[in-house]
Amino acid sequence: MRKSVPAAAVLLLASCSQQPEQRQSSEDLKTFDTAEQMAPPSSPSAVPGAPPPMPTVAPAPITRTPPGEIGAGPNIGVTAAPGVAFNYRYAYRLPNARIQVAQEAHAAMCEKLTITRCRITGMRYALVNERDISASLEVKLDPAIARAFGKDATKVVTDAQGMLVDQQISGIDVGTTIDLADRGRAQLQDELDRVTRELARPGLSNVIRDRLLSEAQSLRSQIRALGEQKKAGEEALATTPMAFYYGSGRAVPGFDEATPLRDAVRRAGYNFLSALGAIIEVIAALLPIAAILALAWWLFRRAQRRFGWGSGASGYRDNDRAAAPPPQAPHPPRRPRKPVDA
């Protein structure tokens, strides 16, 4: 019995001494794990309790545009928002011989989709001067394929040695307008129903009846206007207008390689030919007038000499004879003197 009591006491003291040590070791382990998770591996000298550093984000890699896609415009996808009517406009610059080809290719792309998804609403081709050409094509597309159609059309132009110089995609929130029109029509219809019930009451005076009839007519006009507004909005949502504009010539500085000497010689030659053409035009305009005046003067002188017309031609001859000195008799020749003999 005496031997068992000290053994039990020893076990109790050992268990009490081990519990604080286990709790402290577990707390140290938890603190070490948390600090290890918060501190980055690259900074071993992190201060305990300091806020963790901001995570570094790797920059996105910069990709170069392939040479075949230069001039194709930004590759930005426009998400079709519900209730928004989009309008697409593209402007291209191409060589003169490529404009007609690109325009016909775009028209063929629209015709291939059939009139249910694409319709050509306008087309123009004009020769601006002896060097430049201007053209346009307008279509109406299914909104679901408008963006893809525009990208394919731009690719056709870039493949034809052209470039995109202007791109505009604008949107109008038609859905809000349609909702407002629906709510307005509902309110006006309730008001019209009230006026109709007022008109159905017996015993109304003529003044009140005329006022109610006028109010009912005004309400019907407003309901009709809101209905047309809603219809126009629904049509705008059903189709997406797209316009293509084509032009020749240099688009923007830097598109072609810089050749200042060749450009200067070309401009000098063009200016010289323009000045020479202006001189030729002036001569061609004045030459008939000068020929008519010369012929008239020649005919006048011819008639003057033949018929004595004009400003006293015979009088001038008489005056010339009177002013002339009289003829003198010729002196007889002198005889030579004989020499005197000494």
Side-chain angles (χ1 to χ4, degrees):
M1 186 68 180
R2 292 178 180 177
K3 293 181 180 180
S4 61
V5 173
V10 171
L11 292 174
L12 181 61
L13 291 174
S15 62
C16 291
S17 61
Q18 289 177 358
Q19 288 179 358
E21 292 178 359
Q22 291 177 357
R23 186 181 300 110
Q24 183 68 26
S25 61
S26 62
E27 289 178 359
D28 294 342
L29 180 60
K30 292 178 181 179
T31 305
F32 177 78
D33 293 340
T34 306
E36 190 177 22
Q37 291 177 1
M38 293 174 60
S42 61
S43 57
S45 61
V47 180
M54 296 296 293
T56 58
V57 180
I62 299 176
T63 58
R64 296 184 179 180
T65 304
E69 297 182 2
I70 296 177
N75 188 14
I76 300 174
V78 179
T79 304
V84 178
F86 289 100
N87 189 356
Y88 292 76
R89 293 167 58 90
Y90 297 90
Y92 305 109
R93 285 292 181 272
L94 301 97
N96 289 338
R98 302 282 183 172
I99 290 180
Q100 184 177 0
V101 177
Q103 188 181 27
E104 292 180 353
H106 291 167
M109 290 170 56
C110 181
E111 293 173 353
K112 186 178 180 180
L113 296 173
T114 69
I115 60 175
T116 59
R117 307 187 71 187
C118 182
R119 290 178 296 169
I120 298 176
T121 58
M123 189 173 182
R124 182 179 61 86
Y125 184 90
L127 180 64
V128 179
N129 48 42
E130 64 274 8
R131 301 184 313 277
D132 299 329
I133 295 175
S134 176
S136 65
L137 178 67
E138 298 176 1
V139 299
K140 283 191 175 182
L141 292 159
D142 183 358
I145 62 172
R147 177 61 179 164
F149 188 90
K151 293 178 64 176
D152 294 341
T154 302
K155 188 177 184 303
V156 170
V157 173
T158 55
D159 292 343
Q161 301 178 357
M163 73 174 302
L164 175 68
V165 296
D166 188 17
Q167 177 181 353
Q168 297 180 10
I169 302 177
S170 58
I172 301 175
D173 189 4
V174 183
T176 304
T177 305
I178 294 175
D179 294 340
L180 292 175
D182 288 337
R183 289 197 294 267
R185 290 181 63 189
Q187 295 175 0
L188 293 174
Q189 187 63 41
D190 294 340
E191 189 68 18
L192 180 61
D193 294 341
R194 184 190 63 80
V195 173
T196 304
R197 289 193 300 268
E198 291 289 335
L199 287 171
R201 289 190 309 171
L204 293 177
S205 63
N206 294 332
V207 176
I208 297 177
R209 184 176 296 276
D210 293 341
R211 180 178 61 80
L212 292 175
L213 289 174
S214 177
E215 187 176 355
Q217 184 66 26
S218 177
L219 291 172
R220 291 190 183 93
S221 300
Q222 296 179 27
I223 292 173
R224 191 180 305 110
L226 290 177
E228 294 177 356
Q229 183 178 359
K230 178 183 178 181
K231 183 179 179 181
E234 292 175 349
E235 290 179 355
L237 289 176
T239 57
T240 298
M242 183 175 293
F244 302 103
Y245 299 95
Y246 315 89
S248 60
R250 298 184 62 178
V252 289
F255 177 58
D256 296 333
E257 296 182 358
T259 54
L261 182 60
R262 186 176 62 184
D263 294 342
V265 172
R266 186 185 297 110
R267 287 194 298 268
Y270 178 75
N271 294 335
F272 174 77
L273 294 177
S274 299
L276 184 61
I279 294 173
I280 293 174
E281 289 179 359
V282 171
I283 294 175
L286 297 178
L287 187 60
I289 301 175
I292 292 173
L293 293 176
L295 179 61
W297 176 253
W298 180 78
L299 293 175
F300 173 75
R301 294 292 296 173
R302 186 72 177 270
Q304 184 182 23
R305 292 175 182 176
R306 184 172 182 179
F307 303 104
W309 296 349
S311 55
S314 59
Y316 284 123
R317 294 193 186 95
D318 295 340
N319 294 335
D320 292 342
R321 292 194 188 97
Q328 297 180 0
H331 295 284
R334 295 181 180 181
R335 296 179 180 180
R337 295 181 178 181
K338 294 181 181 182
V340 179
D341 297 333

